[in-house]
Amino acid sequence: MLILGLSDNHDASAALVADGQLVGACAQERIDRVKNSGAFPWGAIDAVLDQAGVKAREIDRVVFGTAFTPSWALRRFPEVHHGRKASGGQFDPALNAYISYQVALRSTGMHMQEAEACRRLLDKRMVLRGFRKAQVEVLDHHTTHAQAAYRAQEHATCLVLTVDAMGDGRSASCHVGRNGLLELQWSQSGFAAINTFYSRITELLGFTANRHEGKVTGLAALATPPPKLLEHMRDKLSFRRGRFSRENYLRRHSPQDPWYRALQRYSREEIAAAAQQTLEEAVCDLVRHHVRRTGISTVAVCGGVFANVKLNQRIAELDCVSTLSVFPNMGDGGLAVGAALASAGAPPRTLESLYLGPRFTDEDIGRALAVAGLRPQKGAKVQPRVLDLLEAGKVVARFDGAMEFGPRALGNRSLLVRPDDPSANDWLNARLSRSEFMPFAPVVLDEDAERCFVGVDKARDSARFMTVCFDATPEFARDCPGVVHVDGTARPQLLREQDNPSLHGLLRAWKQRTGLSALVNTSFNLHEEPIVCTPGDACRAFKQGRLDALWIGPYLVEAAPAEAAPN
């Protein structure tokens, strides 16, 4: 049984499940090179089919992870859809109208008719592209998020929570998973729009909504929120009596509304800190409420709000939570996987890997290097030379194996730097034209996790995919200041040997040489571009980014001294 899951939304994607096993997944942005691409995911579809050696005519089922008003409607508002500022940005009346429309469809019961109409349109589209025998299905947006979270963790009984801006007329839901089945316990309409609250703050602080929320999270650590500002934020977002507070999207909002104008008397850092604390309080109250109500302490989460790694740390630290699993592609890009796994009835089990994207042969890599005019080294001396470069403080771009699925680079499309330079966050961000306030994340040997971080066990599996922060131990903070934030936390990728033997081998050799079991791991991409996908992308990013070295497959390319940027 071959099942193709699709997300036809912003951050469009495709995933392939064969006989219940996830065998491929890819975001459209990696193919068309448009950040958060909302194009119909034909490129991603081709990528996952090619990886599995499958033809369109062989697919048995195509499942969309959003039931109604698919991406073609949002494409009429491209600035909103792609995370770019429109005339009103997150305050644009079109966004308010879109949320109100979807909420109205669900509240009136018309969503079923809309879903069926969309399914028929999508069926015709897939048939025209060769999916002639495939049965086309659509799933509810939040149900699909919940399915992804439940079926990508190991507990047969699990509390599953979803929170995002809005999908199919809902903003949040609670399901209970038991023995492979999910049962909806509670949901809230799209008027709650938790992500929209945080995205509006992001925009007010001068960043790009739907793209730079992580910068607000990092900025929040630089201040303590004033009590009056906290109370002001809680008026906008709280979880009380079993529900989130609701925005009224039926009236016009603008940055000039009194509630938003009142923020102008505070610094950016204070606003970010208050927004972050308010979000943490509200969502942690949601978790406590449903753990208490169901008696289930194993928690899995999905939805765009859980891209907030500091929030995930606060959830894992709750006494009432025994384990936390964060679906690694928690935003709408992950809907493709949730749709395919749900349709397959896959049992809950830990994801073996996220290296699910396109992979390339040594011949492919050699051709790309030749086209780019790069002259590589090859052979047994490559890894020792990589270690020499890292020890000298150089930036090594790594391209190897299958591309990662999701927003995090996990070593196959990464930039590696030594972790003990406290100035690395400044000079490397400047070199990459990034304005990040979060420090770089470390990749750390899993066997050293307890020595480096506090409270790992509750969210260890999530930390394999870099989706949760931990407090750093004093030893790690002293030895690796380049990857520890001002608040004493780090967002690690805990690396097991079976997950990535080549990178694990490099880390072990690095530890033997330096005593450090971590390296900086940040994404390999040019500024405001998606993470590199092909060898050609890697060669271009290496040259334009003026990086020191490119470790690509079995080859190593070093930049001439005049070509590399100074630290």
Side-chain angles (χ1 to χ4, degrees):
M1 173 68 73
L2 294 171
I3 301 174
L4 180 67
L6 298 179
S7 171
D8 179 24
N9 211 327
H10 66 87
D11 198 10
S13 62
L16 184 66
V17 167
D19 296 328
Q21 295 284 342
L22 181 63
V23 297
C26 182
Q28 177 65 21
E29 69 164 15
R30 306 294 175 86
I31 307 301
D32 63 22
R33 311 306 300 158
V34 176
K35 189 74 173 173
N36 296 332
S37 177
F40 194 86
W42 291 124
I45 291 170
D46 290 342
V48 297
L49 295 185
D50 288 347
Q51 170 136 339
V54 171
K55 303 296 184 184
R57 63 178 179 269
E58 300 175 72
I59 298 296
D60 298 293
R61 198 175 299 154
V62 177
V63 190
F64 288 81
T66 298
F68 57 93
T69 315
S71 198
W72 57 263
L74 280 177
R75 291 185 193 115
R76 295 179 180 272
F77 310 105
E79 293 82 4
V80 174
H81 193 230
H82 291 294
R84 298 190 295 266
K85 289 184 181 179
S87 58
Q90 286 293 294
F91 299 91
D92 196 300
L95 179 61
N96 292 350
Y98 174 68
I99 292 174
S100 300
Y101 170 68
Q102 285 215 9
V103 171
L105 279 176
R106 183 168 292 279
S107 63
T108 60
M110 294 294 291
H111 65 286
M112 296 301 293
Q113 292 93 320
E114 171 107 352
E116 177 55 22
C118 290
R119 190 201 66 77
R120 289 197 297 267
L121 288 172
L122 294 167
D123 190 13
K124 292 178 181 178
R125 170 175 277 194
M126 300 308 293
V127 168
L128 290 173
R129 287 294 291 258
F131 294 85
R132 295 183 181 88
K133 79 167 184 175
Q135 176 185 352
V136 173
E137 300 176 355
V138 294
L139 295 181
D140 175 80
H141 185 103
H142 275 266
T143 300
T144 308
H145 275 318
Q147 293 280 3
Y150 178 54
R151 298 185 191 282
Q153 55 81 53
E154 63 182 353
H155 300 283
T157 299
C158 184
L159 178 66
V160 185
L161 299 169
T162 70
V163 185
D164 65 10
M166 194 274 305
D168 287 352
R170 291 173 171 162
S171 288
S173 73
C174 170
H175 292 75
V176 169
R178 286 193 177 91
N179 301 317
L181 299 176
L182 272 181
E183 181 183 352
L184 178 65
Q185 302 283 310
W186 167 88
S187 67
Q188 188 163 353
S189 84
F191 284 143
I194 311 307
N195 269 20
T196 304
F197 158 80
Y198 207 86
S199 292
R200 284 179 168 174
I201 297 297
T202 300
E203 189 167 293
L204 288 169
L205 293 180
F207 304 118
T208 302
N210 294 329
R211 188 177 298 183
H212 294 156
E213 280 77 2
K215 295 183 180 183
V216 179
T217 308
L219 194 63
L222 303 181
T224 299
K228 286 187 177 180
L229 178 57
L230 264 180
E231 288 303 314
H232 188 68
M233 288 282 184
R234 289 166 182 155
D235 286 341
K236 184 68 68 174
L237 175 63
S238 62
F239 186 85
R240 297 171 183 166
R241 294 184 291 277
R243 304 193 72 76
F244 286 110
S245 51
R246 290 161 53 114
E247 277 274 25
N248 178 8
Y249 284 96
L250 298 177
R251 72 179 181 86
R252 168 84 168 144
H253 285 273
S254 83
Q256 301 308 312
D257 286 347
W259 191 91
Y260 294 102
R261 291 186 65 181
L263 301 178
Q264 295 175 5
R265 70 188 70 164
Y266 299 99
S267 70
R268 285 207 313 168
E269 292 80 5
E270 289 173 332
I271 295 169
Q276 178 67 24
Q277 183 171 330
T278 301
L279 177 73
E280 292 172 5
E281 291 173 352
V283 177
C284 285
D285 285 345
L286 165 80
V287 175
R288 290 189 192 94
H289 173 82
H290 288 289
V291 169
R292 182 170 60 250
R293 190 178 60 80
T294 63
I296 301 171
S297 63
T298 54
V299 177
V301 297
C302 192
V305 77
F306 299 108
N308 191 304
V309 292
K310 285 292 295 181
L311 167 64
N312 297 340
Q313 179 183 5
R314 296 292 173 247
I315 296 171
E317 290 172 343
L318 293 174
D319 290 339
C320 63
V321 172
S322 59
T323 62
L324 174 67
S325 175
V326 183
F327 184 70
N329 197 350
M330 64 292 292
D332 285 358
L335 291 170
V337 170
L341 291 177
S343 185
R349 58 178 167 233
T350 301
L351 284 173
E352 293 181 8
S353 169
L354 278 187
Y355 304 115
L356 296 165
R359 64 171 66 242
F360 301 87
T361 66
D362 292 352
E363 290 74 18
D364 294 330
I365 293 171
R367 282 192 294 270
L369 290 169
V371 169
L374 297 173
R375 302 179 65 179
Q377 310 168 39
K378 184 181 179 182
K381 294 183 179 180
V382 165
Q383 180 174 298
R385 181 56 184 159
V386 168
L387 291 169
D388 291 341
L389 292 165
L390 291 170
E391 192 170 18
K394 302 300 183 182
V395 182
V396 178
R398 186 172 190 268
F399 180 103
D400 191 52
M403 182 179 66
E404 305 91 333
F405 179 60
R408 314 293 187 212
L410 299 173
N412 280 4
R413 304 290 189 275
S414 292
L415 302 182
L416 305 176
V417 186
R418 65 180 303 150
D420 54 349
D421 178 1
S423 68
N425 200 56
D426 295 326
W427 65 257
L428 184 52
N429 271 326
R431 193 160 161 182
L432 298 172
S433 300
R434 297 176 183 174
S435 57
E436 301 289 348
F437 299 97
M438 291 290 278
F440 293 113
V443 55
V444 180
L445 291 169
D446 179 74
E447 52 264 38
D448 290 340
E450 282 77 13
R451 184 170 63 82
C452 300
F453 308 108
V454 178
V456 167
D457 281 346
K458 276 192 178 185
R460 192 182 205 108
D461 194 60
S462 294
R464 291 173 53 214
F465 307 119
M466 210 182 278
T467 60
V468 62
C469 284
F470 301 106
D471 289 338
T473 63
E475 177 185 358
F476 188 78
R478 181 194 68 227
D479 293 342
C480 300
V483 291
V484 178
H485 200 21
V486 294
D487 61 0
T489 65
R491 184 196 68 193
Q493 174 194 0
L494 298 182
L495 187 69
R496 307 178 305 181
E497 184 173 11
Q498 63 265 37
D499 291 336
N500 194 322
S502 173
L503 183 58
H504 192 273
L506 179 77
L507 268 178
R508 281 188 306 182
W510 173 251
K511 181 182 178 183
Q512 290 170 359
R513 181 180 288 207
T514 66
L516 304 174
S517 56
L519 286 167
V520 169
N521 173 14
T522 189
S523 58
F524 184 11
N525 63 285
L526 293 170
H527 180 57
E528 290 299 301
E529 280 195 12
I531 294 172
V532 300
C533 176
T534 68
D537 295 336
C539 292
R540 181 174 62 89
F542 167 67
K543 293 172 72 174
Q544 293 185 17
R546 301 176 65 196
L547 304 174
D548 298 307
L550 173 61
W551 181 21
I552 180 166
Y555 303 102
L556 179 66
V557 180
E558 293 186 52
E563 296 172 342
N567 291 356

